[in-house]
Every structure is written in C-alpha cells, then in structure tokens.
Amino acid sequence: MRLSIGLLLCVGITVLAFVLTHSVPGDPVAANLGDRAQNDPAAVAAFKEKNGLNDSLPSQYFTYLGNLLHGDMGTSQQTHRAVWDDLGDKIPASLELALFAIVLALVIGVGLGIVAAVTRNGWPDRVIRVVSLAGVSMPVFWLAQVAFYLFSFKLGWIQAGGRLSPGAIPPDEITGLYTLDSLLVGDTGTFGEAFSRMILPACVLAAFNIGVLTRFTRAAVLEALGNDYVRAARAKGLPESTVIRRHVLRPALTSILTVAGLTFGGMLAGTVLVENVLSWPGLGQYAYKSALNLDLPSIMGVCLFVAVVYVVINLLVDLLYGVIDPRIRLS
C-alpha cells in the first residue's frame, strides 16, 4: 500500500516538476545555442525539433513520461550525455558526502540532545542550547566560506576542493564512493586523502542538522522523562544509564528517526551551496549548472531523483517505526 502511494507520489511529482520547470522565465533556445546561433532560424528550428519544443506542453510531458518508463531521462543539453549517465557519475559523490554528514549529525546531535535533557536547566543544557541555536542560525553558504578560509586556506589544517587532489588516480570503481572503494581494493593512501577532503564539506553540511537534531532530541527525551514508567524504573533502583537507554531513548527514537530521515533527504537534495563553495563534484554542482543553462532534461532528472530519495527514505522510516515500537506495526 505504502509502495503504491509512493509510486503515485512520484508520478505526481513528475507533473509538478515538469510544469514548474517549463514555467521558469527564460528561453532554453537562447541558453543553449548562444547569441550567434539563436539568430539562425535553421539552427533554432533544428534545436526545437530535436528537443520536441514545437509540441504542446501536455504532449511534451507524455512523451517524457513514456521515455522515462523505458529508462530514458533524456539527453543533457550541457554535457550532451544521457541524464541517467550524468546522475550516475554525480550521485555517488553527493551520497558519500551526505552519509558522512548524517553520521556526524546523528552521533553529535543525538548525544548533545540527551545530555541537554538529562541536565535540564543546568549549565551543560544552557551551553548546548546556545550552540545548537548557533548551528541552526548560521547560513550554510557563509559557514562554508568561513570554514574554507580559516581551516583550509589560512591554517592549512584540512584539504578542500574536489574528492582527490588534481592528478590523483581514483580507485577502481565498485560503488562510486571513493572511501569505500579504496578500502575494498586495499588502497589506504587514497582512502586517507579521500576521507580528509570530505571532512570540511561534511562538517559544514552537518552543522545545521546537528543543531536541529539536538533540539528535537532534547524535546523528545524530556517528554519521555515525564512518564510514570520512567519514575517507576528509577524507584526500582535501576541505574540512570539503564533508565535512559531502555525506558527513555527507545520511545524518543520515533520522533528522532522522523527528523533524521528528513535530514538525510535534505542533505542529499540541499548540497548545492556547499558543493559549489567547496568545489565538491556532486549532484549539487550538476543541478546548479543545469539551472544556469536552462538544461530542462537535467533539471527534471535531479528533481525526480530528489523526489525518489524522499519517498524511499520515508518508506524506510515507516518500516523502522514498527521495529522500534511493535504497537505501531500491530495497529
């Protein structure tokens, strides 16, 4: 049932994305042909004919949908390659970055949220609340620029710019994730370089989400701490760590998991600024360049990928609800 709803949602998103993409002010002919070619009627007619721009908008949509069902997402007008191939090259870079960032955000954010809730109104709670508020208040593009200038350019502590240094040979492609592939082939040197270059963009990407997860975790744990069964567990003399782990953290996990799922989807979809500032060759840079060039097939491909990511993540989160709390599965 949920899978069917997810598929219907994806079809609905194709309609919405197609209409919005084609409603953007601008002329794709001028954006792709340049000043000289757009004044050539023959070149303009050939471009429109090749890309189906002479057809009505509904006709263009159904043609696109039919091709999509056959695995054809169109040809990028900027790279002249299949959009599917472009996405296959860019997605692993963004996925690797987002996975590292979400692990950082979960470990630090959930940990700080638990500490803040347990020490409510104490000095650790006050410090953590200020830090989390700062995390959610700082614009990502500004933080990326400051972090790059300070830690990479000025102090030279962290390498940044690209997944590997110029001229370095990537590891043999297995998954497309450089850190994982280099480990699988036993290339520790490439692993170290790929990992070190991922630290700065991952920390910048995680900063906002650490603040969000800290605040949600604190609120969820505080709500669980007020339940009678927690007071009963403490009255039985259970150690505080056991009370927190068994009777507080588990019921709080459902709301934390919801936020974590949305956060991960947001990281994959929202890396445009971080990737452009820190020169990370992922999906964000591809989306940015596609938007600048009015590359409609590429924009549609990115939109569909983001939509599928959100649908899949929400489906996984729904399934995990039942694992965490069997009452949800039974109902």
Side-chain angles (χ1 to χ4, degrees):
M1 182 64 181
R2 286 171 178 157
L3 189 59
S4 303
I5 294 174
L7 289 175
L8 288 175
L9 189 58
C10 286
V11 173
I13 289 171
T14 62
V15 178
L16 189 62
F18 192 86
V19 172
L20 289 177
T21 302
H22 286 74
S23 302
V24 173
D27 184 1
V29 177
N32 287 276
L33 293 184
D35 293 335
R36 293 184 62 183
Q38 69 172 323
N39 294 322
D40 182 352
V44 172
F47 181 84
K48 288 185 174 179
E49 180 66 26
K50 180 181 178 183
N51 294 280
L53 298 179
N54 291 322
D55 300 335
S56 64
L57 200 58
S59 176
Q60 290 182 44
Y61 170 73
F62 285 114
T63 301
Y64 179 80
L65 193 61
N67 293 334
L68 187 63
L69 292 175
H70 290 87
D72 182 6
M73 302 179 80
T75 302
S76 168
Q77 293 158 2
Q78 54 176 330
T79 65
H80 304 292
R81 300 175 62 209
V83 173
W84 186 257
D85 293 339
D86 283 346
L87 294 180
D89 288 343
K90 302 298 181 184
I91 287 172
S94 294
L95 181 63
E96 186 176 38
L97 184 62
L99 284 173
F100 188 26
I102 192 64
V103 170
L104 278 178
L106 280 173
V107 171
I108 299 175
V110 174
L112 289 178
I114 294 172
V115 172
V118 171
T119 61
R120 184 180 186 181
N121 294 329
W123 70 264
D125 180 30
R126 292 172 184 165
V127 171
I128 290 171
R129 275 191 286 169
V130 171
V131 171
S132 64
L133 184 61
V136 298
S137 303
M138 286 185 290
V140 173
F141 71 91
W142 175 83
L143 183 61
Q145 290 177 334
V146 171
F148 175 76
Y149 175 77
L150 185 62
F151 296 110
S152 183
F153 179 72
K154 198 71 176 177
L155 300 175
W157 289 353
I158 304 175
Q159 300 180 73
R163 302 175 74 185
L164 293 173
S165 59
I169 300 174
D172 295 337
E173 185 170 345
I174 301 173
T175 64
L177 312 183
Y178 282 3
T179 50
L180 183 57
D181 288 352
S182 56
L183 281 180
L184 290 175
V185 299
D187 187 352
T188 54
T190 303
F191 169 78
E193 184 176 356
F195 184 79
S196 66
R197 286 179 172 272
M198 198 166 49
I199 291 175
L200 191 61
C203 288
V204 171
L205 198 58
F208 172 83
N209 299 294
I210 287 174
V212 172
L213 281 167
T214 299
R215 298 175 76 82
F216 269 90
T217 302
R218 179 181 181 275
V221 171
L222 280 177
E223 184 180 353
L225 282 172
N227 290 319
D228 291 338
Y229 59 82
V230 174
R231 285 190 284 271
R234 283 173 171 164
K236 290 179 180 177
L238 289 177
E240 187 65 17
S241 59
T242 304
V243 174
I244 296 296
R245 191 175 66 254
R246 290 184 182 175
H247 303 288
V248 174
L249 195 54
R250 189 165 183 174
L253 272 180
T254 50
S255 54
I256 296 173
L257 192 63
T258 304
V259 178
L262 294 174
T263 297
F264 183 63
M267 282 181 175
L268 265 178
T271 58
V272 176
L273 294 174
V274 175
E275 289 187 2
N276 277 286
V277 173
L278 298 176
S279 302
W280 189 263
L283 194 66
Q285 270 200 3
Y286 183 67
Y288 174 73
K289 291 176 181 176
S290 301
L292 281 184
N293 292 292
L294 277 180
D295 186 353
L296 303 183
S298 301
I299 295 172
M300 282 292 297
V302 173
C303 290
L304 285 179
F305 170 73
V306 172
V308 170
V309 165
Y310 271 103
V311 169
V312 171
I313 288 178
N314 278 292
L315 181 62
L316 292 176
V317 168
D318 286 346
L319 295 175
L320 286 175
Y321 284 159
V323 176
I324 295 171
D325 188 349
R327 293 173 300 177
I328 296 176
R329 186 168 46 194
L330 291 174
S331 63

